[in-house]
Amino acid sequence: MTNYTTYEIEKLINFCLGYLRIPEVDIYVMYNDSILDRFSSKDIEIEALLYKNPIKSSYNLYVRKNLSNIKNVICHEMIHLKQYEDNRLYLDYKTGIFTWEGEEYKDIPYFERKWEKEAFSKERKLIKAYKLSAKKCPLS
């Protein structure tokens, strides 16, 4: 990853968890381009993927090795985390079927997915709040 330390990523994740009022969760960040390539399509190269583990409130966050926009990517995925924790989003990785608010979707274009639209919309507010908090308390 370019220009980001593990500490900075953890700091951003912890801020997002607090801001979104997500209770105690475990997030394991891993760099794995091959997994992300499997979920990418001709429309979009997936930069990150949040995988909900079978263990309650446990997630794997796969990210590409060389990201320059890590803040955007982490904030976006934390919105998905909130969607998972609120039981609004579920992905069956074996079948590729998404369940969004009780409705099943398969093979829907990335930018037409309701959960992605929400994540893009809310990530901007989250990034702005993070930047503001960093200005107020840069050493925390």
Side-chain angles (χ1 to χ4, degrees):
M1 288 186 130
T2 53
N3 302 325
Y4 290 94
T5 65
T6 302
Y7 170 77
E8 290 168 318
I9 293 168
E10 287 176 8
K11 182 180 165 185
L12 176 57
I13 288 172
N14 287 329
F15 172 83
C16 292
L17 294 175
Y19 187 86
L20 296 169
R21 295 188 174 116
I22 297 172
E24 193 76 23
V25 294
D26 293 315
I27 302 170
Y28 305 95
V29 180
M30 292 172 264
Y31 309 110
N32 194 320
D33 289 359
S34 62
I35 286 178
L36 296 169
D37 288 342
R38 284 193 296 170
F39 285 90
S40 294
S41 67
K42 63 181 182 200
D43 307 55
I44 183 110
E45 179 183 70
I46 301 296
E47 296 178 310
L49 178 70
L50 186 69
Y51 171 78
K52 186 173 184 176
N53 292 319
I55 300 167
K56 184 175 171 54
S57 298
S58 175
Y59 297 85
N60 291 345
L61 175 58
Y62 299 104
V63 294
R64 293 219 177 260
K65 291 178 185 163
N66 294 307
L67 284 177
S68 58
N69 61 345
I70 191 71
K71 285 181 189 169
N72 296 57
V73 170
I74 296 289
C75 288
H76 183 94
E77 294 305 317
M78 292 301 99
I79 300 298
H80 289 317
L81 178 77
K82 179 76 171 151
Q83 294 167 340
Y84 277 117
E85 285 294 299
D86 290 347
N87 293 313
R88 295 174 62 218
L89 177 64
Y90 176 76
L91 169 59
D92 184 327
Y93 288 88
K94 291 180 183 174
T95 64
I97 295 174
F98 290 92
T99 303
W100 172 249
E101 297 184 337
E103 246 182 272
E104 289 187 354
Y105 297 87
K106 185 172 172 87
D107 298 327
I108 183 169
Y110 181 81
F111 290 106
E112 291 179 24
R113 299 171 183 174
K114 294 176 184 177
W115 56 94
E116 293 298 346
K117 289 179 181 182
E118 180 178 283
F120 279 114
S121 166
K122 292 184 176 183
E123 87 180 40
R124 292 179 194 99
K125 182 178 179 184
L126 193 51
I127 292 166
K128 187 175 181 179
Y130 177 72
K131 288 179 179 178
L132 184 61
S133 76
K135 283 182 183 176
K136 287 181 181 177
C137 190
L139 298 177
S140 67

